[in-house]
């Protein structure tokens, strides 16, 4: 069994994670206006390709 050489204060780690999560901003580059119809078509095409590979 591996034992850590030092003990970590989990409360401090969780607080740091929460603070980091609260300061993160969504990536503005990922916001695109793609019509739902186009997304649905892409998903259906992808599923058809996967099905053909397994047949």
């Amino acid at each position: 069994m591996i034992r850590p050489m030092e003990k970590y204060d989990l409360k401090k780690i969780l607080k740091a994670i929460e603070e980091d999560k609260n300061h993160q901003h969504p990536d503005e580059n990922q916001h695109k206006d793609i019509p739902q119809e186009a997304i649905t078509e892409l998903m259906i095409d992808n599923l058809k390709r996967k099905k053909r590979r397994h047949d």
Side-chain angles (χ1 to χ4, degrees), residues 1-49:
M1 177 175 18
I2 299 174
R3 294 177 191 231
M5 299 302 280
E6 59 183 290
K7 295 190 180 208
Y8 297 97
D9 186 348
L10 294 180
K11 287 181 183 179
K12 285 183 183 177
I13 293 172
L14 289 173
K15 184 178 178 187
I17 291 170
E18 282 298 317
E19 288 174 358
D20 187 51
K21 189 169 68 171
N22 291 334
H23 287 94
Q24 290 181 3
H25 300 288
D27 185 357
E28 299 297 327
N29 294 329
Q30 293 187 12
H31 292 285
K32 301 195 186 320
D33 292 324
I34 301 173
Q36 183 61 45
E37 184 177 312
I39 294 171
T40 303
E41 285 179 31
L42 289 169
M43 291 173 69
I44 290 171
D45 289 343
N46 188 34
L47 289 172
K48 285 178 182 177
R49 277 195 305 274

